[in-house]
Structures are given as C-alpha cells and as structure tokens.
C-alpha cells in the first residue's frame, strides 16, 4: 500500500499544505525560544549521538535476526531522525511549566539537528554503504522470504 499510486498521489497533494504548517510551526518555535550558543552546541552533539545510536541499535537488531547489512542500514537510517511531534511536546511542556526554557532549547536543538542529520545521512546512504559496507561484513547471509 505504501508504494501504491494512490498513496503517492495523496502525498503529493498534501505536501504543500504540510510544508506550510511545518514552516509556521518552526517560525513560531523560533520566535519563542531564546537560543544560546552553549546550549545549541550541546544539543547538536546530543542530536548526532541520538542519530548514531538509533542507527547502531537498528543495525545490530536486524543483523542479529539475520537480515543483510544493506537492509539493516536502510532501516537504521530510515529510523534515525526524530519526529516533529517531539517539538510539539516540548512547546506544551514549556507552556505548562514542566520544563525550563534552557531545557526546551536543548531538546529542540537535539530534535531539529537529528532531523537534519538523519535526512542528510539517508540521502547519502549509497555512499555511506559503499564506504562502510565492506567493513560491516560480519556475516552477510540472505533472508529466504516465504512464498
């Protein structure tokens, strides 16, 4: 279903509406946050660590179950970025007083940097696999899918 024509058609129709609301959300978030360089640096580093750990955990889990390196890396990179929903939760937590503004900047920076790093890494997946794929050949057995 996810690769059907209807799905692509619907996704193309709502893409501009989605992009419009994403821009509004980030603009609203950016106007409310007092960005500080020290917190931004820590947030970007945590975002990078988050992406790498998510890729590693997905790769190890799928390799343990017998999937190929390529498929395990594809899934790992697909799951690597965080969701925009985390930013909505951060805004709600700040508005209700559950977290401070500094913590919200740290979490927002971590989430946004993981979104950017995850999408960039996923777009460069062929290059990453060509460089690291040979080094990851623990055992590269194929999966026999049931008919």
């Amino acid at each position: 279903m996810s690769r059907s024509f209807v799905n692509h058609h619907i996704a193309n129709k709502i893409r501009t509406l989605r992009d419009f609301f994403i821009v509004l959300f980030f603009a609203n978030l950016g106007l409310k946050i007092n960005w500080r360089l020290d917190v931004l640096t820590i947030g970007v580093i945590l975002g990078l660590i988050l992406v790498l750990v998510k890729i590693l955990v997905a790769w190890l889990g799928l390799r343990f179950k017998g999937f190929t390196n390529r498929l395990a890396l594809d899934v790992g990179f697909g799951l690597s970025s965080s969701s925009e929903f985390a930013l909505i939760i951060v805004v709600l937590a700040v508005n209700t007083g559950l977290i401070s503004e500094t913590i919200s900047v740290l979490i927002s920076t971590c989430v946004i940097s993981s979104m950017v790093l995850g999408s960039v890494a996923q777009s460069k997946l062929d290059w990453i696999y060509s460089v690291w794929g040979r080094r990851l050949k623990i055992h590269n057995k194929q999966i026999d899918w049931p008919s």
Side-chain angles (χ1 to χ4, degrees):
M1 182 71 181
S2 67
R3 294 180 187 224
S4 70
F5 173 76
V6 174
N7 183 29
H8 291 292
H9 181 72
I10 292 171
N12 286 334
K13 291 290 184 187
I14 65 170
R15 180 170 289 134
T16 54
L17 186 62
R18 182 198 67 187
D19 292 343
F20 172 75
F21 284 111
I22 287 174
V23 168
L24 282 180
F25 178 75
F26 281 118
N28 186 30
L29 184 68
L31 293 173
K32 289 184 178 181
I33 291 181
N34 186 12
W35 299 100
R36 293 183 14 212
L37 185 60
D38 56 342
V39 178
L40 282 174
T41 305
I42 294 170
V44 170
I45 292 170
L46 287 175
L48 178 63
I49 291 170
L50 177 69
V51 168
L52 293 175
V53 166
K54 286 172 102 175
I55 292 169
L56 181 67
V57 167
W59 178 77
L60 286 173
L62 289 171
R63 289 299 292 152
F64 179 73
K65 288 306 229 175
F67 289 90
T68 63
N69 276 326
R70 179 60 190 222
L71 182 61
L73 281 176
D74 279 341
V75 171
F77 279 96
L79 296 173
S80 65
S81 63
S82 297
S83 172
E84 297 88 5
F85 188 68
L87 297 174
I88 295 170
I89 293 173
V90 167
V91 170
L92 291 174
V94 169
N95 289 342
T96 58
L98 293 174
I99 61 174
S100 68
E101 187 176 330
T102 304
I103 298 297
S104 73
V105 171
L106 181 66
I107 294 171
S108 299
T109 306
C110 180
V111 169
I112 292 169
S113 64
S114 77
M115 290 166 57
V116 170
L117 293 170
S119 63
V120 168
Q122 193 169 9
S123 69
K124 302 292 184 191
L125 185 60
D126 289 331
W127 178 81
I128 292 170
Y129 187 74
S130 71
V131 171
W132 288 98
R134 292 182 292 271
R135 294 183 177 104
L136 297 176
K137 294 208 187 284
I138 298 168
H139 64 290
N140 207 7
K141 69 179 183 178
Q142 297 290 327
I143 303 301
D144 293 326
W145 296 102
S147 301

